Amino acid sequence: MKLPWRKAKPILEAQIVLAADVIAEMWDAGKDAQVAVLRRSGFDEGQARRLLAFLPLAFSRPILEELGVVDFDPNVTASGPDGTFLNAKLMRQPEYVQGLKIARDHRNKGVMDHEVYKLIASSSADLNAVDDALNEGVDVTGATIATSLLDTKIAFHLIR
């Protein structure tokens, strides 16, 4: 599947905090409803879908680092609508980059509502996998994490 190249639009710290608050308020709604509310809050569809995909990942990274995970694959894999797999660099996704910065700042200085941060971070599949491993007695010190996105609608919006 060939998708168009996307250019990154910058995203501000305040926009990430706003998006996190909106996502938390719409937590029990489906992804499409969350996208609609994020769009009404000023984000385009690509930003909204990337926020939903990358904020849990970004918010969980500092926690995973504190638990001993030391290496993160710099790419993310997503399944396209036709079943093909696409790769994109995480550091090209502005929502991930700014979300990670805010997550690290929050872990150090508390820059956002902690309940919102916890809700979003705890939805990370990466964090859940490490939590399961820890509960089974596995030592995750030095572990490596690779991330795949399951929502096929994100593939079109990845910045490559």
Side-chain angles (χ1 to χ4, degrees):
M1 169 174 70
K2 186 166 180 154
L3 297 176
W5 287 84
R6 303 241 177 254
K7 290 189 176 182
K9 286 171 62 175
I11 192 160
L12 304 173
E13 186 172 320
Q15 290 175 296
I16 295 289
V17 173
L18 169 65
D21 288 341
V22 168
I23 292 167
E25 287 175 23
M26 294 289 297
W27 191 254
D28 292 326
K31 288 247 192 266
D32 289 335
Q34 290 172 324
V35 166
V37 173
L38 284 165
R39 292 196 70 190
R40 285 195 299 273
S41 298
F43 300 98
D44 65 36
E45 183 172 353
Q47 288 173 319
R49 294 213 178 265
R50 287 189 305 273
L51 284 161
L52 290 167
F54 293 123
L55 282 190
L57 182 61
F59 282 15
S60 71
R61 288 289 159 95
I63 300 167
L64 292 168
E65 292 166 345
E66 291 168 14
L67 292 171
V69 176
V70 296
D71 190 28
F72 299 91
D73 189 323
N75 298 308
V76 63
T77 302
S79 177
D82 65 356
T84 60
F85 288 98
L86 303 165
N87 290 311
K89 296 205 176 297
L90 280 170
M91 296 309 286
R92 296 207 62 212
Q93 314 308 311
E95 297 78 9
Y96 172 78
V97 172
Q98 192 66 267
L100 182 58
K101 179 188 178 308
I102 289 169
R104 287 191 170 128
D105 287 347
H106 179 69
R107 298 295 289 177
N108 291 323
K109 300 180 270 186
V111 298
M112 63 181 293
D113 182 315
H114 190 63
E115 293 304 313
V116 170
Y117 172 81
K118 284 191 328 186
L119 181 68
I120 294 172
S122 68
S123 71
S124 163
D126 294 349
L127 184 58
N128 289 329
V130 168
D131 184 53
D132 289 347
L134 289 170
N135 287 332
E136 292 177 14
V138 175
D139 182 8
V140 297
T141 304
T144 298
I145 298 280
T147 302
S148 293
L149 303 174
L150 301 178
D151 180 5
T152 58
K153 292 181 180 178
I154 187 64
F156 185 73
H157 300 288
L158 292 175
I159 297 168
R160 294 185 299 281

